[in-house]
Amino acid sequence: MESFGSVYILSTRMLTLTLRCNGRRHGWLLVAALVLSACMGSVRAEDGYALWMRYVPVAPGVAHEYQRHLGEVIAPDQTATQRAALEELQRGLSGLLGSAPRVSTESAANHVLVLGTPESSRWVAPFRQELETLGGEGYLLRQARVAGHDVVMVAARTDIGVLYGVFHLLRLLQTGASLENLEVRQSPAIKLRVLNHWDNLDGHVERGYAGGSLWDWHTLPDWQDPRYTDYARANASLGINGTVLNNVNANALSLTPTYLAKAAALADVFRPYGIRVYLSARFSAPIEIGGLRTADPLDADVQRWWREKADEIYALIPDFGGFLVKANSEGQPGPQDYGRSHADGANLLGDALAPHGGVMMWRAFVYAHDVPQDRAKQAYSEFAGLDGAFRPNVLLQVKNGPIDFQPREPFHPLFGAMPHTPLMMEFQITKEYLGFATHLVYLGSLYEEALNADTHVNGEGSTVARVVDGSLDGHALTGIAGVANIGNSRTWSGSHFDQANWYAFGRLAWDPRQSARDIAAEWAAMTFSPDSEVVRPVVEMMMASREAAVDYMTPLGLHHVMARGHHYGPGPWVDGGPRADWTSVYYHRADRNGIGFDRTRQGSDAVSQYAPAVAQGFGDVARVPESLLLWFHHVPWDHRLRSGRPLWDELVHHYTRGVRQVQAMQATWDSLQGRLDAPRHRQVAAFLRIQENEAQWWRDASVAYFQSINGRPMPDGEVPPPHPLSYYQALQFPFAPGDGR
Ligand code: GCV
């Protein structure tokens, strides 16, 4: 297996120089192991491959405490998952503590680390009843006195729970937590925690900014790249338990025997890590690969075809998760092609999967160009009336907002509107609308904002998180999906900081009530250094970053004003083309007098899709959060905001503030030079320069455009754009990454 750790640079120059480490000087004679291990974090040639599982040596002070507790391990190794847990523990402890623990079956030591389930370990057996309460994936970490020994226990009802517990323990060590009186009881709040890969069979990743697809379909199933195991480890470390391998804009070939064998090989690699494989299914597959003349969901031959297809898949992948379907959206085929409803379509596939225990994840991202209705309303119009019409194994997968993964959107009105249907949250981890991989934008804050939004459907506290985790309406089948930002780039995510978004998604999927700030802090500690002088500034950068992007791209509720097609850079002037709701002018509606989309009762009335308490707030220009003002209201350019500034001045103020915030992030990052490894520091610094230039570009192009519409002078103290509008409009990026094909 490929080394997951980083390469150590150990040049002769280093050995003959006096090293400076944590402010202390050491003569070269003292170099040897002590200094090397203390300084390891700052001399490693880090390339990001190790993600948050770098397992670099902990500070000598804590190392001693950890060694005392964890020097000897008793763990089963009979199943693949047991071996994965033990291997991870050994890998982790070897790196963190400098030596591998002794592994034994019976302890001679006073202190011992025990892994296991009641079945696999006699040490854990007495805790059977307690472990039952933690469910199939939960775990218990506890320091206890057992049979005369001081035991740190990683116990669970299942092997997977133990594996998750091992990752939790390693996280504690990586972040410098104490093991004294350790007591952690964890179980996931959401059942299906799934990545969606928008990966095509030709290796292109739609909206992918981290290289090509991780899946080498050409060499599968014979060659299983060790990287697939590392992918599984990374996901298991977060509790992600499913992956949809292929793009929702699906190719029917992924359901042919050739590709199913490849998917099965991946499923074999992922299984020990608790990850099930799912596939995006093309609704018209019965025609394209089945030779049928129709894909009508009520046609008996079509129903048989899907049943047999499911049987075929489960023969190859016994724990296959199920299907994800994008239907009748953006040109994809679907049940409406035959005059049937989305429920008819979803139930067709749900029925085929049901005998095998599979689930059907049907997407609500549906809007039709022949419907003149406000696009923000269409998913609700299509689905709300179907509540209760779906089979028990069908989940409806709903994007966090009603348009499309914008820097800021209000929560999707379907959340709370379908109490009889399990609604999955769909977040985007890849930053299609947030500066691709080069902008530092921490999405933990965006996810937190969406999950904490209060739908008010059952009174105050009816948060989106409670819809998604099933507690609001009593659903046991629950799910959350993240559109992956993973590719074959050495960094996995295209940039070091984008790894944090994968991480935050996974951690919130496990427990949507965690704070984005806490998640950022543990990620920063593991990814860079647990030193508070590093964590604190890095977390401050991360926590400010999403608002900065909103400011320089889409302040005050503006949305979908980026360039056409590839969505790279500003394009508020985008107009014309195949459909109005793919243009910017459709969304901002700026004219000489004002700007914004009127979604009040006098306008498109999208506000009425929310519960009355929410609708009243959104619909009232005096009460709507200013961050969503132009999402819901068309207001005059001189409308006064809470700052006292007229709207035009406020808008320009936000654009400029966004650029300044990026500059502040640069200054913070520069101040960390020398505290972090140089390779990663250099790349982040370079990307921040790109981000600064592009933030400035967003600001200047947007100001130039809106000024051309409203004819207003620049607000006092604001610098005019350096180029005329025509300059920004003429910029072309024919090879911008990630475009759909
Ligand atoms: C996979 C947006 C993206 C598309 C994506 C679509 C979807 O429109 O631009 O690339 O298609 O969302 O979520 O289905």
Side-chain angles (χ1 to χ4, degrees):
M1 174 169 149
E2 183 170 355
S3 150
F4 201 68
S6 298
V7 179
Y8 294 105
I9 296 179
L10 204 57
S11 70
T12 41
R13 202 173 127 248
M14 269 180 45
L15 287 172
T16 53
L17 286 179
T18 298
L19 294 186
R20 178 178 285 279
C21 173
N22 297 335
R24 290 204 300 273
R25 295 177 76 81
H26 304 267
W28 73 270
L29 285 172
L30 293 178
V31 167
L34 188 64
V35 175
L36 266 180
S37 72
C39 296
M40 209 68 92
S42 56
V43 297
R44 292 158 59 102
E46 305 265 9
D47 62 6
Y49 185 85
L51 295 162
W52 45 88
M53 296 171 291
R54 293 160 58 246
Y55 304 141
V56 295
V58 298
V62 269
H64 180 69
E65 188 212 329
Y66 293 161
Q67 280 283 11
R68 194 163 61 84
H69 285 291
L70 311 174
E72 181 167 328
V73 177
I74 300 183
D77 64 354
Q78 299 306 301
T79 69
T81 302
Q82 289 170 0
R83 284 191 290 278
L86 184 56
E87 273 165 28
E88 195 66 35
L89 188 76
Q90 288 173 309
R91 181 186 291 114
L93 294 185
S94 307
L96 289 160
L97 307 183
S99 62
R102 278 187 311 282
V103 182
S104 58
T105 45
E106 277 308 319
S107 176
N110 184 27
H111 290 85
V112 58
L113 168 61
V114 169
L115 313 189
T117 63
E119 284 71 39
S120 67
S121 167
R122 71 176 180 80
W123 296 75
V124 174
F127 300 91
R128 181 185 301 273
Q129 249 183 345
E130 182 176 358
L131 294 174
E132 285 298 320
T133 64
L134 297 176
E137 295 175 299
Y139 55 85
L140 169 71
L141 307 187
R142 175 174 290 162
Q143 195 212 352
R145 191 93 190 140
V146 183
H149 295 264
D150 260 329
V151 173
V152 170
M153 200 166 52
V154 179
R157 218 184 77 192
T158 63
D159 289 345
I160 287 299
V162 175
L163 177 67
Y164 289 162
V166 164
F167 278 114
H168 192 129
L169 178 68
L170 292 171
R171 188 160 63 232
L172 293 178
L173 306 185
Q174 287 170 279
T175 51
S178 167
L179 298 181
E180 292 305 330
N181 304 318
L182 178 66
E183 175 73 21
V184 174
R185 296 167 55 84
Q186 283 277 315
S187 39
I190 298 173
K191 190 168 176 198
L192 310 176
R193 306 175 298 278
V194 181
L195 287 181
N196 288 184
H197 287 266
W198 286 356
D199 294 20
N200 294 339
L201 299 182
D202 64 2
H204 174 73
V205 181
E206 184 159 346
R207 311 307 176 185
Y209 312 104
S213 175
L214 207 53
W215 323 133
D216 186 354
W217 294 111
H218 188 63
T219 54
L220 281 164
D222 302 304
W223 166 239
Q224 289 147 30
D225 192 323
R227 197 160 181 175
Y228 303 151
T229 307
D230 290 336
Y231 165 86
R233 290 178 50 228
N235 283 322
S237 78
L238 306 173
I240 289 172
N241 65 1
T243 182
V244 184
L245 299 176
N246 59 323
N247 193 349
V248 288
N249 291 331
N251 188 323
L253 290 179
S254 62
L255 297 177
T256 56
T258 308
Y259 280 95
L260 290 177
K262 296 169 190 284
L266 287 173
D268 290 343
V269 176
F270 301 159
R271 189 167 298 114
Y273 296 88
I275 297 163
R276 286 175 182 229
V277 154
Y278 298 73
L279 289 172
S280 292
R282 186 161 162 89
F283 197 78
S284 51
I287 302 173
E288 288 152 13
I289 60 169
L292 302 189
R293 277 179 302 117
T294 177
D296 182 349
L298 301 193
D299 181 281
D301 288 337
V302 172
Q303 292 169 355
R304 186 176 321 108
W305 189 87
W306 281 109
R307 274 199 308 274
E308 287 171 2
K309 185 51 73 182
D311 295 345
E312 179 189 347
I313 295 173
Y314 278 93
L316 289 166
I317 311 173
D319 57 351
F320 180 64
F323 293 132
L324 170 66
V325 172
K326 170 176 176 178
N328 292 119
S329 173
E330 300 187 330
Q332 293 301 310
Q336 292 180 329
D337 302 348
Y338 307 94
R340 315 298 185 194
S341 74
H342 280 278
D344 293 330
N347 292 342
L348 163 76
L349 276 78
D351 285 344
L353 294 161
H356 307 281
V359 301
M360 176 60 242
M361 303 177 294
W362 194 265
R363 292 179 92 224
F365 179 67
V366 161
Y367 62 102
H369 63 281
D370 49 357
V371 178
Q373 198 184 36
D374 172 5
R375 175 171 155 187
K377 292 179 69 177
Q378 291 187 37
Y380 179 102
S381 304
E382 195 71 61
F383 285 96
L386 293 175
D387 189 26
F390 295 95
R391 298 284 190 266
N393 65 336
V394 174
L395 298 111
L396 195 62
Q397 185 168 308
V398 183
K399 289 188 181 182
N400 60 284
I403 296 292
D404 192 11
F405 301 135
Q406 297 302 296
R408 170 164 282 123
E409 299 195 31
F411 68 91
H412 200 298
L414 277 173
F415 290 111
M418 298 185 68
H420 306 292
T421 308
L423 296 197
M424 274 181 88
M425 169 61 81
E426 180 177 319
F427 282 129
Q428 195 180 51
I429 311 174
T430 188
K431 304 203 314 296
E432 172 182 358
Y433 297 101
L434 282 136
F436 299 1
T438 42
H439 292 211
L440 194 170
V441 182
Y442 172 54
L443 298 179
S445 335
L446 186 158
Y447 303 156
E448 181 180 57
E449 181 177 295
L451 290 164
N452 289 345
D454 197 341
T455 70
H456 282 271
V457 284
N458 293 351
E460 208 177 322
S462 309
T463 60
V464 170
R466 292 193 55 213
V467 175
V468 175
D469 73 16
S471 60
L472 193 67
D473 301 307
H475 291 293
L477 180 59
T478 55
I480 183 165
V483 178
N485 64 349
I486 301 163
N488 61 11
S489 138
R490 189 70 190 159
T491 59
W492 299 86
S493 300
S495 81
H496 298 295
F497 271 93
D498 274 325
Q499 297 175 352
N501 294 329
W502 177 7
Y503 186 87
F505 167 75
R507 298 287 287 131
L508 284 166
W510 180 273
D511 177 4
R513 285 177 186 79
Q514 289 179 99
S515 96
R517 180 176 284 275
D518 290 350
I519 293 171
E522 67 185 32
W523 175 81
M526 293 192 287
T527 303
F528 293 119
S529 159
D531 178 354
S532 63
E533 298 296 305
V534 172
V535 172
R536 195 179 28 75
V538 169
V539 170
E540 290 316 319
M541 287 170 70
M542 292 168 76
M543 292 307 292
S545 63
R546 186 277 188 126
E547 204 57 43
V550 170
D551 271 345
Y552 63 72
M553 290 179 174
T554 55
L556 298 174
L558 285 176
H559 50 289
H560 215 299
V561 288
M562 58 292 308
R564 195 194 296 275
H566 50 61
H567 301 156
Y568 172 61
W573 48 82
V574 169
D575 195 0
R579 40 191 303 172
D581 54 9
W582 282 356
T583 68
S584 303
V585 297
Y586 172 89
Y587 294 100
H588 65 62
R589 304 194 171 206
D591 59 22
R592 198 160 180 84
N593 302 317
I595 180 171
F597 199 133
D598 183 358
R599 293 191 165 111
T600 67
R601 297 179 94 79
Q602 291 70 44
S604 79
D605 199 24
V607 289
S608 297
Q609 294 184 334
Y610 292 95
V614 178
Q616 279 154 21
F618 285 163
D620 181 351
V621 72
R623 287 171 56 204
V624 68
E626 280 187 353
S627 58
L628 292 173
L629 175 68
L630 304 179
W631 186 286
F632 287 112
H633 297 270
H634 186 86
V635 283
W637 288 108
D638 46 20
H639 173 82
R640 290 269 156 201
L641 285 125
R642 283 164 205 142
S643 63
R645 280 188 280 266
L647 173 61
W648 168 238
D649 294 28
E650 185 74 17
L651 198 62
V652 179
H653 170 74
H654 277 261
Y655 284 126
T656 306
R657 192 174 72 177
V659 180
R660 296 239 167 87
Q661 184 57 44
V662 177
Q663 289 161 346
M665 295 199 295
Q666 285 181 300
T668 306
W669 190 252
D670 288 349
S671 75
L672 289 170
Q673 194 170 17
R675 284 191 178 275
L676 304 176
D677 54 285
R680 289 188 301 169
H681 189 273
R682 231 185 352 260
Q683 196 195 46
V684 172
F687 280 17
L688 282 168
R689 279 194 297 279
I690 295 174
Q691 184 175 7
E692 187 202 3
N693 288 336
E694 294 187 355
Q696 189 71 51
W697 167 35
W698 263 97
R699 182 247 183 220
D700 292 338
S702 306
V703 169
Y705 171 73
F706 288 124
Q707 205 175 16
S708 80
I709 301 287
N710 65 19
R712 297 192 171 227
M714 285 302 285
D716 283 349
E718 290 286 355
V719 179
H723 302 287
L725 175 61
S726 55
Y727 166 86
Y728 302 106
Q729 289 175 316
L731 297 173
Q732 297 286 326
F733 305 95
F735 304 111
D739 209 353
R741 276 192 198 154

